[in-house]
Amino acid sequence: MSDTPETFTPRPYQAEAIKALISGWNGDRNRLAVVLPTGAGKTVVFANLISELLPQLGGLRALVIAHREELIEQAAAKVRAVRPDLRVGVVKAERDEHQDVDVIVASIQTLAVERRRKAIRDIGVVIVDECHHAAARSYMTVLEHFGAWRGLPVAGFTATMTRTDGGLADVWEDVVFTLDILEMIEDGYLCDVRGKRVTVPGLDLDSVKSRAGDLQEGQLGQALDDSGAAEVVAEAYRLHAGDRPGVVFTPTVATAQAMAESFTAAGIPAAAIWGDMPRDDRSATLAAYRAGDVQVLSNCMVLTEGFDAPWTSCAVIARPTKSAGLYCQMAGRALRLWEGKKDALILDVMGASTRHKLASIVDLTGRDILMEDEDQTLREAVREAEEKAQRRLDLSRIQVEEIDLFHGSTVRWLKTESGVWFIPTGDTSYVFLVRNPADRTYWLRRYDTAHGIVGPRRDVPLPLAEAKAWLEQQARASSSRWLATRSAAWRHKPASVKQLNFCRLKGIQVPHGSTAGEVSDLQAIHQFTTILRRLSAPVAA
C-alpha cells in the first residue's frame, strides 16, 4: 500500500485503536467498542482494520453495518480508498451487492429483513458504525444472527457511547480505546474552539420536562418558538459569525425551518433539512451548502452523524441538551481542519434554567476546567487550569515540606494565620521567616517592640533549611530560650488561670483540656498575627 493521502495511512492514534481492538479480540471478549470524537476519522480506522484483518480470516469477509445512506456510501468509499484491491459491495434497498465481494457495507434497515440478512454468508468480522444505536432491537437481532454472542469479532465505532434509553452494556463488553477532543486539538488534528452564550429573553427551560434523560424535543421546540429564539439567534450569528459557514442544531422540524427563515431575513442565506425531507431536496440543499450558495444549514438532528463538511466553522446549539455526548457530536461538526480556518465558534443558545444541568463547551473534554472568559479558546482555558493546578500542587509540596521540616524540629515553630513561620523569643519578641516570591528562598527577620522589624547585617535570602537553622540558633541563644524549646517540662502542665483569662479577653478559642504549652502557642499566634497586621511596612523589604 503506497503512502499517499488517497490511501489514508492511519494516524498514530488510529493505529493505537486498531491495535487495541486486535489485542482485545485475542482475549476473552469479542464485542469491543472504540470511542473517537467527531473528526477523528473512524471510517479510516475501520477501513484499515478490515485491511489488516482480511488476510487472517481465511476467505471470510467483513460486514460493515450503518444506519443512514450517507454513512453507507462514505464507509464504502473509504474502504475502497484504503484498499483499492478489495471488492466492496453495498446492500441497501434495491442494491444487493453481496456476491463475489470482500467487504459488504449494509444498512441496518435492510439487514433487519430476515431474508436479506440470511442471504449474506461467510462473515468473519462485523463493524458497527455509530454503534451507540446498537441496543435497538433491530441491531440486536442482526448482530445475534451473524454470531456476535457466539464469539465472532465485532467492533463498534462511535463519537459518544451514550444512549438515552440504555442497554449498551448488553451489547458492548468493553471500550478498548477512547480519545478526548482536546487531545486532538493539542495534536493538531482538530482546530481550537471558542464558545459564546446566546441568551434568549423569555426562554424558560425549567418548564421543559425531561424524557429518557434529556429535554423533551417537542416541549423544547415549543419553548424556543414561543420565546422568539430564531430572531435572537440569527442576530447573534450576524454579529459574531457573519463570515462563517455554519450549522444550526434544533429539536424539531418547525424550529429548524423557523431558524432558516430568520437567518435568511437577517441577510444570511440559510436552508433547513430534516430526516423525512425528500431525498432529492435534501441532496440539493447539501449541494448548495457545499457550493457556498447557502451559508447556514439549519437541521433537526440529521447532521450529528456522518456529516462531512470540514469548512464549517460555526455550530449553533439551538437544541440545549443535558447529554455531554450529544453536545460533543453537535459541536464537533465545526472542529475539522480546513485551509484558512483558524478556529471554530460554538454559539450556545441559553435560557433561564435552574432545574436542568445543561452540557456546554467544557464538556468537549474530560478535564476539569471552568471557562469564564468567552474570548478564551478551549485550549487556552485548559492551559490556564493546568497552570493553576500546578501552582496549587507546588504550594502543597512546599507546605508538606515545611510541615515535615518544622514539626520535626526541637524548637517550637509556630505559624501565623497568614502562613508566616515564627519562633517566640520573649513576651513581645519573635524571629520569623518571609518567603521570597521569586523562588523558594527565605529572608530572616526579627521583631521586638524597641526596634520593630529588622534583618541581619548581611540580608540575603537563604534556602529553607539554612534559614530555619540560622533562626533556631538565634532562638536558643536568647534569654527566653525556654519559650523556644518544644520539650520544655512546663509545656505539659495544665493551663493556668491567667492564661485562660487572657484567651477569654482576646476571644481566643481554647479546646477543652489544653496544656499550658498549647495555650501558650495559641496566645503567641494571636499576638504575632495581630502585630503583623498592624505594621504598615512590608515585612520583606
Side-chain angles (χ1 to χ4, degrees), residues 374-392:
E374 288 194 342
D375 290 329
Q376 273 188 323
T377 66
L378 181 64
R379 185 159 57 170
E380 289 168 347
V382 169
R383 282 177 178 168
E384 181 179 297
E386 288 174 344
E387 287 170 3
K388 286 181 180 177
Q390 186 60 50
R391 287 196 293 271
R392 286 195 298 271

Side-chain angles (χ1 to χ4, degrees), residues 5-18:
E6 287 72 31
T7 58
F8 299 96
T9 302
R11 296 167 175 172
Y13 67 84
Q14 293 171 334
E16 286 181 45
I18 293 169

Side-chain angles (χ1 to χ4, degrees), residues 261-443:
E261 290 171 6
S262 293
F263 272 68
T264 302
I268 301 166
I273 62 172
W274 57 93
D276 295 332
M277 187 179 189
R279 183 183 299 178
D280 291 344
D281 292 348
R282 189 156 120 186
S283 297
T285 303
L286 290 170
Y289 182 64
R290 281 192 292 272
D293 298 328
V294 168
Q295 183 181 342
V296 173
L297 280 179
S298 177
N299 80 103
C300 176
M301 305 306 294
V302 295
L303 300 182
T304 54
E305 300 166 354
F307 175 65
D308 191 13
W311 61 89
T312 302
S313 65
C314 182
V316 180
I317 313 300
R319 193 267 178 255
T321 177
K322 296 196 284 186
S323 166
L326 177 57
Y327 186 95
C328 290
Q329 279 186 298
M330 293 187 286
R333 295 300 151 192
L335 301 186
R336 293 177 186 262
L337 300 178
W338 188 251
E339 186 176 354
K341 181 174 167 182
K342 294 181 180 178
D343 63 14
L345 176 64
I346 309 300
L347 296 182
D348 268 328
V349 177
M350 309 295 286
S353 179
T354 57
R355 191 162 63 89
H356 303 298
K357 168 75 171 67
L358 299 178
S360 67
I361 189 172
V362 298
D363 290 298
L364 295 180
T365 174
R367 303 186 204 181
D368 187 15
I369 61 169
L370 180 67
M371 291 190 73
E372 296 177 337
D373 183 357
E374 288 194 342
D375 290 329
Q376 273 188 323
T377 66
L378 181 64
R379 185 159 57 170
E380 289 168 347
V382 169
R383 282 177 178 168
E384 181 179 297
E386 288 174 344
E387 287 170 3
K388 286 181 180 177
Q390 186 60 50
R391 287 196 293 271
R392 286 195 298 271
L393 185 62
D394 290 344
L395 180 59
S396 68
R397 284 173 179 160
I398 292 171
Q399 289 171 338
V400 168
E401 179 183 313
E402 286 181 349
I403 289 168
D404 289 346
L405 200 59
F406 289 113
H407 287 188
S409 174
T410 58
V411 170
R412 173 192 171 212
W413 280 98
L414 301 175
K415 197 174 188 180
T416 68
E417 293 172 10
S418 61
V420 175
W421 287 100
F422 71 98
I423 307 171
T425 54
D427 288 341
T428 55
S429 66
Y430 310 86
V431 291
F432 61 102
L433 296 172
V434 178
R435 185 181 292 133
N436 179 2
D439 53 31
R440 292 174 62 180
T441 57
Y442 291 76
W443 280 289

Side-chain angles (χ1 to χ4, degrees), residues 33-35 131-132 156-163 168 172 174-175 325:
V34 167
V35 178
C131 70
H132 55 281
F157 291 85
T158 182
T160 170
M161 188 56 84
T162 55
R163 176 182 164 90
L168 284 172
W172 305 111
D174 196 10
V175 175

